[in-house]
Amino acid sequence: MNASLKPRIEEYFNIQGRLSSHQREYETDLSMLEQQEKNQVVWRNQIFEQTRDIPRIINEVTLPVLQAKETSRLLQEQVHQLEDLNKSNLQQLSESAALVREICKEWGVKLPAE
């Protein structure tokens, strides 16, 4: 009976050894998966931290650009108004000069050559 049990006992220990080896592989794989899951959480949080500031950064960049565009538009308006005022002043000056020449001519005042 002892002889018939020996192969079965050896088979049991072989199976036990393989099970232990598989158990260690399983535990290693499980540990790696848990670490990967932790890494994914860390990466997800890092990505969230980095991307959550994007709208604020866009606002910080675009707001001055929009303000500069508005300032430029207002300045262009003022330039046009000044150009119109300058044309009006030149026209009035030209009319005043013509009037002065006419008055000087009526009164006999000789003007210097233009």
Side-chain angles (χ1 to χ4, degrees), residues 1 4 12 24 31 41 52 56-57 71 79-80 88 97 100-101:
M1 178 154 175
S4 67
Y12 169 80
R24 283 190 301 276
S31 175
V41 169
R52 101 177 149 181
R56 180 187 54 79
I57 292 168
T71 301
V79 165
H80 291 307
S88 174
V100 167
R101 280 192 295 276

PDB file of all heavy atoms in Angstrom, residues 1 4 12 24 31 41 52 56-57 71 79-80 88 97 100-101:
ATOM      1  N   MET A   1       0.810  -1.176   0.000  1.00  0.00           N
ATOM      2  CA  MET A   1       0.000   0.000   0.000  1.00  0.00           C
ATOM      3  C   MET A   1       0.863   1.253   0.000  1.00  0.00           C
ATOM      4  O   MET A   1       0.524   2.218  -0.667  1.00  0.00           O
ATOM      5  CB  MET A   1      -0.889  -0.036   1.234  1.00  0.00           C
ATOM      6  CG  MET A   1      -1.730   1.182   1.334  1.00  0.00           C
ATOM      7  SD  MET A   1      -3.163   0.752   2.245  1.00  0.00           S
ATOM      8  CE  MET A   1      -3.904   2.257   2.366  1.00  0.00           C
ATOM      9  N   SER A   4       1.927   2.005  -3.493  1.00  0.00           N
ATOM     10  CA  SER A   4       0.890   2.555  -4.367  1.00  0.00           C
ATOM     11  C   SER A   4       0.582   4.018  -4.016  1.00  0.00           C
ATOM     12  O   SER A   4       0.122   4.776  -4.861  1.00  0.00           O
ATOM     13  CB  SER A   4      -0.372   1.702  -4.287  1.00  0.00           C
ATOM     14  OG  SER A   4      -0.945   1.818  -3.002  1.00  0.00           O
ATOM     15  N   TYR A  12       0.698  14.594  -5.921  1.00  0.00           N
ATOM     16  CA  TYR A  12       0.100  15.629  -5.087  1.00  0.00           C
ATOM     17  C   TYR A  12       1.087  16.769  -4.875  1.00  0.00           C
ATOM     18  O   TYR A  12       0.738  17.944  -5.022  1.00  0.00           O
ATOM     19  CB  TYR A  12      -0.340  15.034  -3.739  1.00  0.00           C
ATOM     20  CG  TYR A  12      -0.716  16.087  -2.720  1.00  0.00           C
ATOM     21  CD1 TYR A  12      -1.955  16.697  -2.763  1.00  0.00           C
ATOM     22  CD2 TYR A  12       0.184  16.484  -1.735  1.00  0.00           C
ATOM     23  CE1 TYR A  12      -2.301  17.677  -1.848  1.00  0.00           C
ATOM     24  CE2 TYR A  12      -0.144  17.450  -0.817  1.00  0.00           C
ATOM     25  CZ  TYR A  12      -1.398  18.052  -0.869  1.00  0.00           C
ATOM     26  OH  TYR A  12      -1.732  19.015   0.041  1.00  0.00           O
ATOM     27  N   ARG A  24       1.772  32.365  -7.099  1.00  0.00           N
ATOM     28  CA  ARG A  24       2.741  33.466  -7.090  1.00  0.00           C
ATOM     29  C   ARG A  24       2.598  34.313  -8.367  1.00  0.00           C
ATOM     30  O   ARG A  24       2.637  35.543  -8.317  1.00  0.00           O
ATOM     31  CB  ARG A  24       4.168  32.913  -6.966  1.00  0.00           C
ATOM     32  CG  ARG A  24       4.514  32.469  -5.565  1.00  0.00           C
ATOM     33  CD  ARG A  24       5.996  32.156  -5.420  1.00  0.00           C
ATOM     34  NE  ARG A  24       6.477  31.110  -6.320  1.00  0.00           N
ATOM     35  CZ  ARG A  24       6.383  29.803  -6.078  1.00  0.00           C
ATOM     36  NH1 ARG A  24       5.842  29.377  -4.959  1.00  0.00           N
ATOM     37  NH2 ARG A  24       6.849  28.932  -6.946  1.00  0.00           N
ATOM     38  N   SER A  31      -0.725  42.294  -8.418  1.00  0.00           N
ATOM     39  CA  SER A  31       0.014  43.441  -7.896  1.00  0.00           C
ATOM     40  C   SER A  31       0.331  44.437  -9.022  1.00  0.00           C
ATOM     41  O   SER A  31       0.204  45.656  -8.844  1.00  0.00           O
ATOM     42  CB  SER A  31       1.301  42.965  -7.231  1.00  0.00           C
ATOM     43  OG  SER A  31       2.080  44.042  -6.818  1.00  0.00           O
ATOM     44  N   VAL A  41      -4.898  56.403 -12.126  1.00  0.00           N
ATOM     45  CA  VAL A  41      -5.551  57.433 -11.304  1.00  0.00           C
ATOM     46  C   VAL A  41      -4.641  58.653 -11.193  1.00  0.00           C
ATOM     47  O   VAL A  41      -5.082  59.793 -11.350  1.00  0.00           O
ATOM     48  CB  VAL A  41      -5.916  56.873  -9.909  1.00  0.00           C
ATOM     49  CG1 VAL A  41      -6.341  57.991  -8.972  1.00  0.00           C
ATOM     50  CG2 VAL A  41      -7.014  55.815 -10.020  1.00  0.00           C
ATOM     51  N   ARG A  52      -7.382  71.676 -16.604  1.00  0.00           N
ATOM     52  CA  ARG A  52      -8.426  72.514 -16.015  1.00  0.00           C
ATOM     53  C   ARG A  52      -8.061  73.994 -16.118  1.00  0.00           C
ATOM     54  O   ARG A  52      -8.937  74.848 -16.061  1.00  0.00           O
ATOM     55  CB  ARG A  52      -8.726  72.078 -14.595  1.00  0.00           C
ATOM     56  CG  ARG A  52      -8.107  72.911 -13.536  1.00  0.00           C
ATOM     57  CD  ARG A  52      -8.463  72.514 -12.179  1.00  0.00           C
ATOM     58  NE  ARG A  52      -7.294  72.859 -11.374  1.00  0.00           N
ATOM     59  CZ  ARG A  52      -7.180  72.658 -10.118  1.00  0.00           C
ATOM     60  NH1 ARG A  52      -8.138  72.060  -9.468  1.00  0.00           N
ATOM     61  NH2 ARG A  52      -6.098  73.014  -9.488  1.00  0.00           N
ATOM     62  N   ARG A  56      -8.835  79.220 -18.289  1.00  0.00           N
ATOM     63  CA  ARG A  56      -8.298  80.425 -17.651  1.00  0.00           C
ATOM     64  C   ARG A  56      -7.154  81.004 -18.481  1.00  0.00           C
ATOM     65  O   ARG A  56      -7.081  82.208 -18.709  1.00  0.00           O
ATOM     66  CB  ARG A  56      -7.793  80.101 -16.242  1.00  0.00           C
ATOM     67  CG  ARG A  56      -7.212  81.318 -15.515  1.00  0.00           C
ATOM     68  CD  ARG A  56      -6.578  80.935 -14.188  1.00  0.00           C
ATOM     69  NE  ARG A  56      -5.582  79.892 -14.274  1.00  0.00           N
ATOM     70  CZ  ARG A  56      -4.321  80.084 -14.688  1.00  0.00           C
ATOM     71  NH1 ARG A  56      -3.913  81.266 -15.051  1.00  0.00           N
ATOM     72  NH2 ARG A  56      -3.477  79.076 -14.735  1.00  0.00           N
ATOM     73  N   ILE A  57      -6.287  80.131 -18.979  1.00  0.00           N
ATOM     74  CA  ILE A  57      -5.157  80.588 -19.794  1.00  0.00           C
ATOM     75  C   ILE A  57      -5.662  81.215 -21.084  1.00  0.00           C
ATOM     76  O   ILE A  57      -5.168  82.264 -21.518  1.00  0.00           O
ATOM     77  CB  ILE A  57      -4.191  79.415 -20.079  1.00  0.00           C
ATOM     78  CG1 ILE A  57      -3.514  78.983 -18.773  1.00  0.00           C
ATOM     79  CG2 ILE A  57      -3.156  79.797 -21.123  1.00  0.00           C
ATOM     80  CD1 ILE A  57      -2.767  77.667 -18.861  1.00  0.00           C
ATOM     81  N   THR A  71      -9.341  98.892 -28.442  1.00  0.00           N
ATOM     82  CA  THR A  71      -8.561 100.131 -28.340  1.00  0.00           C
ATOM     83  C   THR A  71      -8.155 100.606 -29.726  1.00  0.00           C
ATOM     84  O   THR A  71      -8.254 101.806 -30.039  1.00  0.00           O
ATOM     85  CB  THR A  71      -7.311  99.900 -27.464  1.00  0.00           C
ATOM     86  OG1 THR A  71      -7.736  99.478 -26.171  1.00  0.00           O
ATOM     87  CG2 THR A  71      -6.474 101.156 -27.348  1.00  0.00           C
ATOM     88  N   VAL A  79      -8.889 108.963 -35.045  1.00  0.00           N
ATOM     89  CA  VAL A  79      -8.080 109.439 -36.173  1.00  0.00           C
ATOM     90  C   VAL A  79      -8.991 109.956 -37.281  1.00  0.00           C
ATOM     91  O   VAL A  79      -8.741 111.036 -37.841  1.00  0.00           O
ATOM     92  CB  VAL A  79      -7.149 108.313 -36.700  1.00  0.00           C
ATOM     93  CG1 VAL A  79      -6.579 108.649 -38.073  1.00  0.00           C
ATOM     94  CG2 VAL A  79      -6.024 108.047 -35.710  1.00  0.00           C
ATOM     95  N   HIS A  80     -10.049 109.222 -37.595  1.00  0.00           N
ATOM     96  CA  HIS A  80     -10.995 109.674 -38.626  1.00  0.00           C
ATOM     97  C   HIS A  80     -11.651 110.995 -38.217  1.00  0.00           C
ATOM     98  O   HIS A  80     -11.817 111.901 -39.046  1.00  0.00           O
ATOM     99  CB  HIS A  80     -12.059 108.612 -38.911  1.00  0.00           C
ATOM    100  CG  HIS A  80     -11.526 107.394 -39.601  1.00  0.00           C
ATOM    101  ND1 HIS A  80     -10.790 107.447 -40.766  1.00  0.00           N
ATOM    102  CD2 HIS A  80     -11.622 106.076 -39.294  1.00  0.00           C
ATOM    103  CE1 HIS A  80     -10.453 106.231 -41.147  1.00  0.00           C
ATOM    104  NE2 HIS A  80     -10.941 105.370 -40.259  1.00  0.00           N
ATOM    105  N   SER A  88     -12.098 120.191 -42.104  1.00  0.00           N
ATOM    106  CA  SER A  88     -13.013 121.298 -41.842  1.00  0.00           C
ATOM    107  C   SER A  88     -12.238 122.572 -41.508  1.00  0.00           C
ATOM    108  O   SER A  88     -12.563 123.659 -42.014  1.00  0.00           O
ATOM    109  CB  SER A  88     -13.945 120.915 -40.695  1.00  0.00           C
ATOM    110  OG  SER A  88     -14.750 121.997 -40.318  1.00  0.00           O
ATOM    111  N   ALA A  97      -9.078 133.024 -45.590  1.00  0.00           N
ATOM    112  CA  ALA A  97      -8.020 133.647 -46.395  1.00  0.00           C
ATOM    113  C   ALA A  97      -8.624 134.328 -47.616  1.00  0.00           C
ATOM    114  O   ALA A  97      -8.221 135.454 -47.984  1.00  0.00           O
ATOM    115  CB  ALA A  97      -6.993 132.599 -46.809  1.00  0.00           C
ATOM    116  N   VAL A 100     -10.214 137.514 -46.401  1.00  0.00           N
ATOM    117  CA  VAL A 100      -9.192 138.513 -46.088  1.00  0.00           C
ATOM    118  C   VAL A 100      -8.663 139.119 -47.383  1.00  0.00           C
ATOM    119  O   VAL A 100      -8.502 140.353 -47.484  1.00  0.00           O
ATOM    120  CB  VAL A 100      -8.048 137.896 -45.247  1.00  0.00           C
ATOM    121  CG1 VAL A 100      -6.833 138.818 -45.190  1.00  0.00           C
ATOM    122  CG2 VAL A 100      -8.538 137.572 -43.847  1.00  0.00           C
ATOM    123  N   ARG A 101      -8.402 138.318 -48.411  1.00  0.00           N
ATOM    124  CA  ARG A 101      -7.921 138.830 -49.697  1.00  0.00           C
ATOM    125  C   ARG A 101      -8.950 139.769 -50.324  1.00  0.00           C
ATOM    126  O   ARG A 101      -8.619 140.833 -50.855  1.00  0.00           O
ATOM    127  CB  ARG A 101      -7.598 137.678 -50.661  1.00  0.00           C
ATOM    128  CG  ARG A 101      -6.253 137.020 -50.421  1.00  0.00           C
ATOM    129  CD  ARG A 101      -5.832 136.098 -51.553  1.00  0.00           C
ATOM    130  NE  ARG A 101      -6.690 134.935 -51.742  1.00  0.00           N
ATOM    131  CZ  ARG A 101      -6.591 133.794 -51.073  1.00  0.00           C
ATOM    132  NH1 ARG A 101      -5.666 133.641 -50.164  1.00  0.00           N
ATOM    133  NH2 ARG A 101      -7.418 132.810 -51.313  1.00  0.00           N
TER     134      ARG A 101
END
